[in-house]
């Protein structure tokens, strides 16, 4: 009769380990297996022992970390120096990697090709502009502009326009000496009441 009662209460002996698949851990936890008071006492003692060991190891680790920090301080190794060394080491690893070397070579070749292409394009544009300048249409236009320039420029005036004396103050000077409250001729806004 005892076997009939134990049958449905028995659980498989596999206990999920830490880190096992989350699916098995999500389900409802099975009721603790039936055990004697003596087994329960042994497990409680083992639990306390493991917890004490963890606490001791944590304290030892903290002491070792403090010792490490003291040694580094005596050697003059600061967190900033460590960071610099780590960055330097990482950069060295990156620059020596095959991927970096391939990328660098590819970019270098692309740069050379781009430089050559721009140089060729500049030469082609220069040749084109020279061809346009030597074209009969451009020469004809250039001659017409030169003729127009000659007709527009007075032949006897070689002096500077600003040095001509007309007997009164120059226009720029009269504009600059205009009082602020007097209306400017032609300014309709100045005539409106405020």
């Amino acid at each position: 009769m005892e076997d009939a009662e134990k049958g449905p209460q028995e659980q498989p002996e596999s206990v999920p380990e830490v880190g096992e698949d989350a699916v098995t851990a999500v389900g409802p936890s099975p009721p603790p297996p039936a055990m004697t008071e003596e087994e329960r006492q042994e497990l409680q003692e083992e639990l306390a022992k493991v917890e004490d060991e963890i606490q001791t190891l944590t304290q030892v680790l903290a002491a070792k970390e403090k010792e490490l920090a003291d040694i580094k301080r005596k050697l003059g190794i600061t967190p900033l120096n460590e960071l610099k060394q780590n960055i330097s080491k990482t950069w060295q690893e990156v620059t020596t990697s095959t991927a970096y070397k391939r990328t660098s070579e590819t970019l270098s070749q692309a740069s050379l090709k781009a430089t050559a292409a721009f140089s060729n394009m500049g030469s082609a544009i220069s040749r084109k502009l020279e061809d346009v300048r030597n074209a009969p249409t451009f020469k004809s236009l250039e001659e017409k502009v030169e003729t127009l320039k000659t007709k527009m420029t007075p032949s006897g005036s070689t002096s500077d326009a600003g040095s001509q004396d007309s007997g009164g103050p120059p226009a720029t000077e009269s504009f600059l000496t205009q009082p602020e409250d007097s209306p400017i001729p032609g300014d309709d806004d100045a005539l409106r009441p405020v």
Side-chain angles (χ1 to χ4, degrees):
M1 180 101 176
E2 253 181 57
D3 288 339
E5 282 182 25
K6 262 190 170 179
Q9 291 179 355
E10 280 186 31
Q11 297 295 325
E13 291 198 21
S14 72
V15 177
E17 294 289 324
V18 174
E20 261 193 31
D21 197 0
V23 175
T24 59
V26 172
S29 60
M35 63 178 79
T36 65
E37 188 60 36
E38 186 178 308
E39 290 174 331
R40 186 172 183 78
Q41 185 64 32
E42 283 179 26
L43 286 176
Q44 287 290 348
E45 289 173 7
E46 187 176 341
L47 177 64
K49 182 180 172 184
V50 170
E51 286 177 341
D52 285 344
E53 287 175 356
I54 290 172
Q55 186 175 5
T56 303
L57 290 171
T58 303
Q59 290 171 350
V60 169
L61 180 62
K64 289 292 183 183
E65 287 176 340
K66 184 179 179 192
E67 183 181 350
L68 175 71
D70 287 342
I71 291 170
K72 284 182 176 182
R73 183 181 47 78
K74 288 176 183 175
L75 289 173
I77 300 173
T78 64
L80 182 60
N81 288 344
E82 284 185 287
L83 179 64
K84 286 179 184 178
Q85 288 175 350
N86 288 340
I87 290 173
S88 180
K89 182 180 176 185
T90 303
W91 179 248
Q92 184 178 9
E93 290 172 359
V94 166
T95 56
T96 58
S97 71
T98 55
Y100 178 84
K101 288 179 182 177
R102 282 189 212 142
T103 304
S104 178
E105 289 170 4
T106 303
L107 289 175
S108 178
Q109 290 172 0
S111 172
L112 291 173
K113 289 179 181 179
T115 302
F118 284 129
S119 176
N120 290 340
M121 187 174 66
S123 297
I125 290 172
S126 293
R127 282 192 304 270
K128 241 346 170 184
L129 287 174
E130 194 61 36
D131 290 346
V132 167
R133 191 160 190 253
N134 291 331
T137 307
F138 185 81
K139 290 230 182 240
S140 172
L141 178 65
E142 192 176 33
E143 289 170 1
K144 288 178 181 176
V145 168
E146 190 63 36
T147 303
L148 185 61
K149 179 181 164 189
T150 306
K151 289 180 179 178
M152 297 288 288
T153 307
S155 59
S157 174
T158 56
S159 65
D160 190 19
S163 65
Q164 293 177 354
D165 191 14
S166 62
T172 54
E173 188 177 312
S174 66
F175 176 73
L176 293 176
T177 58
Q178 184 82 21
E180 288 184 24
D181 56 342
S182 65
I184 298 171
D187 188 3
D188 294 337
D189 290 339
L191 300 175
R192 290 191 194 139
V194 183

